[in-house]
Amino acid sequence: KAGVTQTPRYLIKTRGQQVTLSCSPISGHRSVSWYQQTPGQGLQFLFEYFSETQRNKGNFPGRFSGRQFSNSRSEMNVSTLELGDSALYLCASRTPRGGGQETQYFGPGTRLLVL
Amino acid sequence: DQQVKQNSPSLSVQEGRISILNCDYTNSMFDYFLWYKKYPAEGPTFLISISSIKDKNEDGRFTVFLNKSAKHLSLHIVPSQPGDSAVYFCAATPSLIKAAGNKLTFGGGTRVLVKP
């Protein structure tokens, strides 16, 4: 079974631009979560989508948004990029069975550099 | 407010010896804890987990201990191998709260170096 895939793997943008990142979950997984990893803040939860609906959201500004398609693929968008948005963006998928104890499987991440 | 803390940013250990990684949490609603291992340029890989109804879970060379009263967990790797060199993250979730969904709260990570 193929793992979680993320595209692109690397991206360079300039301040003020916007960016869209894509995530394809493991086949059969309906839940997709996004995380931001920075050296100073570690791994921080952005949001989770399940069945095309945002189910949970972290403490990030409205410039960060996402969506999920009917095939469970997900995109996240960051508008008006700031230098501090430079980070590794990780996507994780799972198949919820209740109880929240299912393992999340992470993709390799998209490394975003904002200049 | 960091709800999950890994106070040791790095750890160096000799091959064959024990690696002990520590993690503290403050949110008493957390009841499910996980350890992830991360190599450079890769996403975190699930290592081992523990539910709050247990105080120990073992999987091969990896053992996680949970002390609920102290809000502390630790990961023991015995014996340590050079391939264990990576960054280790502990994570927590209030799994019994459905609204928590898929949200994991991570610690800042501990970089482990196993010397041959």
Side-chain angles (χ1 to χ4, degrees):
Chain A
K1 192 184 263 190
V4 178
T5 58
Q6 293 187 244
T7 56
R9 292 294 309 276
Y10 303 93
L11 205 49
I12 300 176
K13 291 285 188 178
T14 55
R15 278 181 299 175
Q17 286 187 309
Q18 74 162 14
V19 67
T20 299
L21 312 181
S22 180
C23 171
S24 292
I26 291 172
S27 178
H29 286 195
R30 295 165 59 197
S31 168
V32 173
S33 295
W34 288 89
Y35 291 82
Q36 181 196 64
Q37 184 187 8
T38 58
Q41 298 295 323
L43 272 156
Q44 290 188 293
F45 175 80
L46 279 156
F47 30 64
E48 180 204 2
Y49 285 86
F50 178 72
S51 293
E52 303 178 62
T53 301
Q54 187 180 89
R55 187 159 71 168
N56 208 347
K57 192 177 188 305
N59 297 323
F60 279 82
R63 299 184 299 107
F64 291 82
S65 63
R67 60 177 174 169
Q68 187 180 33
F69 302 94
S70 58
N71 62 358
S72 295
R73 190 178 70 85
S74 176
E75 289 182 346
M76 68 162 280
N77 183 277
V78 188
S79 62
T80 321
L81 284 165
E82 301 177 359
L83 296 179
D85 297 333
S86 295
L88 180 67
Y89 290 88
L90 293 160
C91 166
S93 76
R94 68 169 182 155
T95 301
R97 292 191 296 272
Q101 297 190 9
E102 302 80 13
T103 303
Q104 292 191 57
Y105 294 89
F106 283 84
T110 294
R111 173 76 61 185
L112 172 65
L113 177 62
V114 182
L115 300 175
Chain B
D1 174 33
Q2 274 191 299
Q3 298 186 62
V4 179
K5 287 186 182 179
Q6 293 175 254
N7 290 318
S8 298
S10 64
L11 173 69
S12 182
V13 64
Q14 205 66 36
E15 181 179 5
R17 307 295 290 268
I18 183 172
S19 295
I20 300 177
L21 292 77
N22 294 303
C23 180
D24 296 294
Y25 62 97
T26 58
N27 189 338
S28 57
M29 299 304 292
F30 289 149
D31 63 356
Y32 191 65
F33 306 89
L34 308 92
W35 284 93
Y36 282 85
K37 175 180 177 179
K38 187 179 184 300
Y39 293 117
E42 294 183 13
T45 303
F46 171 74
L47 202 54
I48 192 170
S49 63
I50 188 167
S51 166
S52 60
I53 62 174
K54 293 184 175 181
D55 55 18
K56 176 182 174 182
N57 189 26
E58 193 171 353
D59 184 1
R61 296 185 297 112
F62 302 91
T63 303
V64 57
F65 296 92
L66 174 62
N67 183 333
K68 279 190 64 178
S69 60
K71 293 190 175 67
H72 176 84
L73 62 154
S74 61
L75 174 68
H76 293 205
I77 307 173
V78 184
S80 301
Q81 300 173 354
D84 296 332
S85 297
V87 178
Y88 291 79
F89 292 95
C90 69
T93 182
S95 64
L96 294 180
I97 299 177
K98 289 185 178 179
N102 211 19
K103 179 179 179 179
L104 290 176
T105 301
F106 282 86
T110 296
R111 183 176 302 277
V112 173
L113 176 63
V114 180
K115 298 178 181 178

